[in-house]
């Protein structure tokens, strides 16, 4: 069974998700937004060795600022959208210039790719490329859970006015998510969780 918990991290209150396989104890951390004692404490409580990977929905600073330190703490490899390779070195793309002193740099060991099942330890994710908020924004599905990054929010969608943002693309992406059969428990990069059933009814971008 998959157990999902989260922390709200950093000045932009980003959701950092801990996805855990209760049978094996394997853990994947999605969007290490900010390295602080709450993140470090949660990792240590779970056992740093159980962290099999770090996964990014996209490479904006408020989703990656804790990645370098988290990699050091856990030794876990990191998966990131290949379309955003340059974000990791260009503060104008990642918006890291907004953080005084910038953020510590890190590397992505592996690219994610739609259509290719993503296996991290015992956890298997389905990968969807959902551009619009950024060129490489991705959503990750596991069991009935959808980690929607800054693509789909409770009652809204992500902004598209940062570099590589594209409004037509995000509209196409959220409609594609909504067209997936069945209901999904949706866990966005900011704000409360929702369900796809609810979003299909009330999200103005899906009407
Ligand atoms: Zn973002």
């Amino acid at each position: 069974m998959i157990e999902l918990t989260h922390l709200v991290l950093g000045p932009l209150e980003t959701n950092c998700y801990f996805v855990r396989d209760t049978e094996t104890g394997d853990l994947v951390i999605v969007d290490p937004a900010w390295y602080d004692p709450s993140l470090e404490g949660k990792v240590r409580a779970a056992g740093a060795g159980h962290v099999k990977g770090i996964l990014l929905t996209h490479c904006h600073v408020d989703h990656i600022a804790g990645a370098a330190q988290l990699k050091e703490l856990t030794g876990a490899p990191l998966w990131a959208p290949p379309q955003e390779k340059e974000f990791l070195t260009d503060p104008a793309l990642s918006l890291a210039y907004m953080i005084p002193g910038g953020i510590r740099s890190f590397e992505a060991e592996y690219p994610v790719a739609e259509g290719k099942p993503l296996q991290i330890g015992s956890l298997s994710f389905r990968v969807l490329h959902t551009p619009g908020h950024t060129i490489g924004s991705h959503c990750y599905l596991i069991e009935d859970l959808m980690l929607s990054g800054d693509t789909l929010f409770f009652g809204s969608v992500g902004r598209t006015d940062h570099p590589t943002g594209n409004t037509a693309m995000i509209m196409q992406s959220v409609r594609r998510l909504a067209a997936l059969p069945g209901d999904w428990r949706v866990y966005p990069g900011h704000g409360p969780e929702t369900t796809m059933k609810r979003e299909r009814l009330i999200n103005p971008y899906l009407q």
Side-chain angles (χ1 to χ4, degrees):
M1 220 185 100
I2 298 299
E3 173 195 271
L4 189 131
T5 56
H6 81 289
L7 291 169
V8 180
L9 298 175
L12 294 180
E13 303 194 333
T14 306
N15 294 323
C16 167
Y17 291 104
F18 281 55
V19 188
R20 187 172 160 270
D21 181 335
T22 56
E23 257 127 73
T24 63
D26 285 1
L27 190 59
V28 172
I29 299 179
V30 181
D31 290 351
W34 195 257
Y35 197 77
D36 71 4
S38 74
L39 178 59
E40 186 176 329
K42 193 170 164 67
V43 170
R44 288 194 191 280
H50 287 296
V51 181
K52 301 302 176 194
I54 301 162
L55 179 59
L56 305 180
T57 60
H58 65 296
C59 298
H60 273 155
V61 64
D62 59 319
H63 293 251
I64 66 172
Q69 289 99 322
L70 183 62
K71 286 185 76 178
E72 260 174 31
L73 177 67
T74 61
L78 184 141
W79 280 257
Q83 300 85 354
E84 297 184 5
K85 206 171 178 355
E86 287 169 30
F87 283 49
L88 302 188
T89 52
D90 187 346
L93 290 172
S94 67
L95 313 176
Y97 71 88
M98 292 178 173
I99 307 275
I103 63 166
R104 282 199 25 212
S105 65
F106 62 92
E107 279 175 19
E109 278 77 12
Y110 303 112
V112 294
E114 175 161 334
K116 197 176 150 211
L118 175 58
Q119 188 74 37
I120 306 179
S122 62
L123 294 123
S124 181
F125 296 87
R126 184 174 159 199
V127 177
L128 291 176
H129 182 208
T130 51
H133 172 65
T134 56
I135 189 71
S137 283
H138 278 71
C139 295
Y140 303 110
L141 312 178
I142 186 164
E143 292 189 339
D144 66 335
L145 314 176
M146 176 186 290
L147 297 151
S148 65
D150 287 1
T151 298
L152 180 64
F153 292 135
F154 182 102
S156 189
V157 300
R159 55 193 288 182
T160 55
D161 57 336
H162 290 313
T164 78
N166 183 303
T167 305
M169 275 186 182
I170 204 169
M171 294 299 289
Q172 204 176 3
S173 290
V174 292
R175 284 179 184 147
R176 203 176 148 222
L177 293 175
L180 292 171
D183 196 12
W184 296 85
R185 291 191 279 157
V186 179
Y187 294 89
H190 302 270
E193 64 177 271
T194 182
T195 65
M196 190 57 80
K197 202 171 163 186
R198 179 181 182 280
E199 294 308 309
R200 287 184 193 115
L201 288 172
I202 60 93
N203 192 311
Y205 298 91
L206 293 175
Q207 306 312 310

